[in-house]
Amino acid sequence: MQLSPLQSRLVASLTATFCVVALYLLLSSPKGALAAELPRDSSSWMDLTIPDTDRTELQTSSYEPIFSFFTRSILGRAQDVTPLENNRPLGLNVGPGSQPVCYLVKKGSLGASRDPRKIYISANTCLQPTIKAGKKAMSPGQLTLFVSNNTDAGCPQITSTGNGVEAKGFTSKVFTEGAVTFSINSTNDVYVAIYAPKLSDDFEGTYNFEIAASNTTYFHRYEASGGAELLWMDSDSTSALLVTRNLTDDVSNLRRVMSEDPPYQLYVSGKDTTSLDGMRRSACGFQKNALIGANNQGNAKNNAMVKTAMTLRGPGGLPKQQFYVVGLNATSAYSGVLVKPANVTVNSKRQVGGSDVPTNPGSIVFQATSFQTNAAPNCKVVTDLEFCDEIQYAVPGNDGKYNNTELAKAYDNYAKSMYDNFLKVMMQVQCETDRTSRYSLARTCDDCKNAYKRWLCTVSIPRCEDFQGESRFSVIRNVGQPFPNGTMLPVDIQTNLALVPSQNASRNAFIDTDIQPGPYREIMPCEDICYQVVQSCPSKIGFKCPQEGMYAFNVSYGKRDNDNSTVSCNYPGEARTPVNGAAAFIPNLMFLAGVLSSGLLLLG
């Protein structure tokens, strides 16, 4: 049947209306959705935030859906994993209790080495959360390192246990004082992760760490054996002198070592300082948290308090690095830590066509060296003397007349003038003659001059200790003179001490008349310094040493302590830090005893 024009328009209109209604219902009805929208205040909303590992801070935990029909390896690989290159340290923040930060050492990516299967992994804590104001002081927990060579490991899933945290398929190792090392033999990819422990609300802030992989040795190292690398030479009431061991024992390397930049950094902290707790084996921990430091860039905290330089002073005349720390508190205990800084920048990018990683690029933290200041205002540390170039200790001083530099120069000039008199005597000795005509077949005039110079400098510039100290190795001097501030010893104490003649004045009149330090204690020179002159010089100059047991010996020279645990007598270069092998400086005293005659103390 054929529709009329009016009927055709009606059918078309109804059809269009039905289509519009159907489309409206399809678009507006929520029943067609396959998943419900999460409200923004839901805790699950934050789980959907994906961390951006290129940023310096980890804002939120990463999302990991729990689907029973997906395997663990698929989920683990979905999390961001950053590759570690050979000796290229990476740094990042990680929040307490957040998802671990994951890394991958790909098979063969570290380059050739003696053992291609050996991988050395190390990390340091640089910053850690701090306790909130008003809360009980405590240290936050240590970070944990996770390592696995399982090809399906991916990022670890952390599980809390009664003994800490663990992850299936991973070996874990908790940091110790902000440092961790782990080596693994593997021919597969190695997965590595850093996890920060959950903390209470008493803490604020985040952790920051460095991590590195190497095919030769640990990039971050802590030297726990071998004795102190940093030696405490001496200190006074406000300053301390610290020196490294010899930087080389090979004389042929002397010029090269002295021309290079000082190799070490020094970080100093008070005994009760807590800012470094939990990071005392971490190089970056010291660099970012120590209250007093010295580095080549001059940007360490309170860098102006530490003066450092290369020196040849001290035993052997070999290169050392010296640190002179000023502005300290009297009668206070301190700790000094030597750090060899890494020479590769954290998060640096490998330069295309650039040179490879330098030899031994990593950092080393050495054992802490303890030292303390004293209460004596009239004992002053001197160093860098021009003539008596081995003197590096506290000497009798007077702040009212000399600063430390002027004091050193005054002593040095006095010793030099006394030595000039000795050289006049030596002019009468036939030094430039044939070997058979010399005074000794074993020693030369140069040996004599060196031995006499060491003896002269040591007795002319005595080593000073606090008058109120109770060291059994020191003797009291100059009790009748006022202290630099004008005060005197109480009359009864002064009268009693003055009964011993050696306590009434200093060893040399120059000290009492020119320096005027007041009462002090002197650590007497070691007996072998005197014996070395007798052994090295011709008998015709008339130099003799007092023998042990004589009164002159007891008030003029000291003996080395057998256990070398303290400075029992003064020898140039003798550190207060115990050093193994110090006995190597002691000459054959039994032999010398045979050549000594009656004692006559020669003080120059």
Side-chain angles (χ1 to χ4, degrees):
M1 181 179 66
Q2 186 174 5
L3 297 176
S4 66
L6 181 60
Q7 290 174 328
S8 297
R9 288 196 296 270
L10 178 61
V11 171
S13 178
L14 290 174
T15 301
T17 301
F18 285 133
C19 290
V20 171
V21 172
L23 181 62
Y24 170 78
L25 293 176
L26 180 62
L27 295 176
S28 62
S29 176
K31 294 181 179 181
L34 297 178
E37 181 182 3
L38 291 173
R40 285 189 175 271
D41 59 354
S42 168
S43 59
S44 298
W45 175 265
M46 295 303 295
D47 291 339
L48 292 174
T49 305
I50 305 299
D52 181 3
T53 55
D54 290 332
R55 299 181 61 183
T56 57
E57 293 191 7
L58 211 63
Q59 299 293 341
T60 60
S61 301
S62 62
Y63 165 66
E64 183 174 334
I66 302 177
F67 297 136
S68 60
F69 46 85
F70 284 162
T71 65
R72 169 68 192 91
S73 63
I74 294 176
L75 294 176
R77 290 178 181 276
Q79 192 166 332
D80 289 339
V81 178
T82 302
L84 287 175
E85 299 180 4
N86 189 40
N87 289 318
R88 296 284 180 179
L90 299 179
L92 196 66
N93 287 2
V94 58
S98 65
Q99 289 289 331
V101 182
C102 302
Y103 299 91
L104 171 65
V105 182
K106 291 189 67 64
K107 175 183 176 181
S109 65
L110 301 186
S113 65
R114 288 173 297 179
D115 186 353
R117 300 171 301 171
K118 194 82 166 182
I119 298 174
Y120 299 88
I121 301 167
S122 61
N124 276 183
T125 303
C126 306
L127 296 171
Q128 58 187 10
T130 56
I131 199 72
K132 293 179 180 178
K135 301 295 183 180
K136 182 180 179 181
M138 66 180 72
S139 297
Q142 295 281 312
L143 298 174
T144 302
L145 174 73
F146 288 91
V147 180
S148 176
N149 61 354
N150 188 329
T151 56
D152 293 328
C155 280
Q157 295 297 294
I158 307 301
T159 303
S160 297
T161 68
N163 298 322
V165 292
E166 62 181 26
K168 185 177 180 181
F170 282 80
T171 300
S172 64
K173 188 174 183 180
V174 179
F175 285 46
T176 300
E177 283 294 331
V180 68
T181 57
F182 191 95
S183 64
I184 184 173
N185 289 315
S186 178
T187 56
N188 301 323
D189 293 348
V190 175
Y191 289 89
V192 183
I194 299 290
Y195 174 75
K198 296 179 180 179
L199 302 177
S200 70
D201 293 337
D202 291 346
F203 289 92
E204 59 185 357
T206 187
Y207 290 88
N208 178 269
F209 66 89
E210 289 180 9
I211 187 170
S214 175
N215 61 2
T216 54
T217 188
Y218 297 114
F219 186 91
H220 306 90
R221 291 166 52 195
Y222 172 73
E223 288 293 335
S225 59
E229 187 71 17
L230 180 68
L231 307 178
W232 169 35
M233 300 304 296
D234 213 345
S235 57
D236 52 37
S237 59
T238 61
S239 63
L241 183 65
L242 306 164
V243 179
T244 67
R245 291 176 180 264
N246 292 334
L247 301 179
T248 179
D249 292 325
D250 188 349
V251 177
S252 64
N253 290 330
L254 189 149
R255 180 172 296 181
R256 176 186 59 81
V257 175
M258 291 299 293
S259 65
E260 296 174 344
D261 289 335
Y264 295 120
Q265 299 174 346
L266 175 69
Y267 296 96
V268 176
S269 59
K271 179 181 178 181
D272 299 326
T273 301
T274 60
S275 61
L276 289 166
D277 288 352
M279 295 180 289
R280 297 185 183 274
R281 295 186 179 183
S282 166
C284 61
F286 280 105
Q287 291 162 349
K288 294 187 177 183
N289 298 279
L291 299 181
I292 303 174
N295 58 26
N296 291 339
Q297 294 73 36
N299 57 6
K301 294 180 181 177
N302 293 305
N303 191 87
M305 294 178 63
V306 185
K307 301 175 183 178
T308 184
M310 300 290 289
T311 181
L312 296 175
R313 304 176 191 280
L318 293 169
K320 307 168 187 65
Q321 187 175 351
Q322 173 180 291
F323 301 92
Y324 183 46
V325 188
V326 300
L328 303 176
N329 296 323
T331 64
S332 299
Y334 291 89
S335 175
V337 174
L338 204 63
V339 173
K340 175 189 172 297
N343 54 14
V344 177
T345 306
V346 177
N347 295 332
S348 63
K349 302 296 184 181
R350 184 184 299 273
Q351 299 295 323
V352 178
S355 59
D356 200 1
V357 176
T359 304
N360 301 321
S363 61
I364 305 176
V365 177
F366 295 90
Q367 294 182 57
T369 296
S370 298
F371 65 94
Q372 60 186 33
T373 54
N374 57 46
N378 59 342
C379 289
K380 298 297 178 182
V381 170
V382 297
T383 186
D384 299 335
L385 279 69
E386 183 177 346
F387 175 69
C388 293
D389 50 6
E390 293 184 322
I391 301 301
Q392 295 174 295
Y393 48 73
V395 302
N398 184 337
D399 277 341
K401 299 187 66 176
Y402 305 96
N403 60 33
N404 287 31
T405 302
E406 295 168 342
L407 181 66
K409 187 174 183 180
Y411 275 113
D412 204 37
N413 289 339
Y414 170 75
K416 180 64 169 59
S417 65
M418 300 302 294
Y419 185 74
D420 289 340
N421 294 332
F422 166 75
L423 291 181
K424 295 176 182 178
V425 175
M426 288 298 294
M427 291 176 64
Q428 304 175 27
V429 178
Q430 290 186 335
C431 296
E432 304 299 331
T433 185
D434 60 273
R435 188 169 181 269
T436 57
S437 300
R438 294 176 185 172
Y439 68 89
S440 171
L441 296 178
R443 301 299 175 97
T444 67
C445 287
D446 287 339
D447 294 328
C448 174
K449 292 175 182 178
N450 291 334
Y452 187 87
K453 176 184 174 181
R454 177 177 290 125
W455 170 84
L456 176 64
C457 289
T458 306
V459 298
S460 301
I461 311 176
R463 192 163 187 167
C464 181
E465 281 194 332
D466 186 3
F467 173 79
Q468 297 183 356
E470 298 179 354
S471 172
R472 62 187 177 91
F473 300 115
S474 60
V475 295
I476 295 174
R477 303 290 195 195
N478 203 21
V479 297
Q481 193 175 71
F483 288 99
N485 62 5
T487 61
M488 298 280 294
L489 290 174
V491 175
D492 55 338
I493 295 178
Q494 180 181 340
T495 301
N496 183 52
L497 293 176
L499 297 176
V500 180
S502 63
Q503 298 180 161
N504 282 316
S506 297
R507 178 186 290 267
N508 304 311
F510 161 78
I511 298 176
D512 296 342
T513 58
D514 288 53
I515 307 299
Q516 299 177 346
Y520 64 94
R521 283 180 173 269
E522 177 193 350
I523 302 179
M524 294 179 292
C526 296
E527 57 180 335
D528 43 288
I529 291 181
C530 186
Y531 296 158
Q532 285 174 3
V533 180
V534 175
Q535 188 180 25
S536 302
C537 293
S539 59
K540 66 182 299 182
I541 71 172
F543 188 97
K544 297 182 184 297
C545 299
Q547 293 181 332
E548 185 177 354
M550 299 177 59
Y551 175 78
F553 180 93
N554 296 335
V555 297
S556 301
Y557 294 97
K559 297 177 65 68
R560 294 179 184 269
D561 200 28
N562 291 331
D563 64 3
N564 195 43
S565 61
T566 186
V567 177
S568 58
C569 61
N570 184 30
Y571 192 98
E574 189 87 357
R576 289 190 176 273
T577 302
V579 180
N580 295 330
F585 295 107
I586 304 177
N588 189 332
L589 299 184
M590 294 301 295
F591 169 78
L592 291 174
V595 301
L596 298 179
S597 57
S598 59
L600 176 63
L601 182 62
L602 179 64
L603 296 178

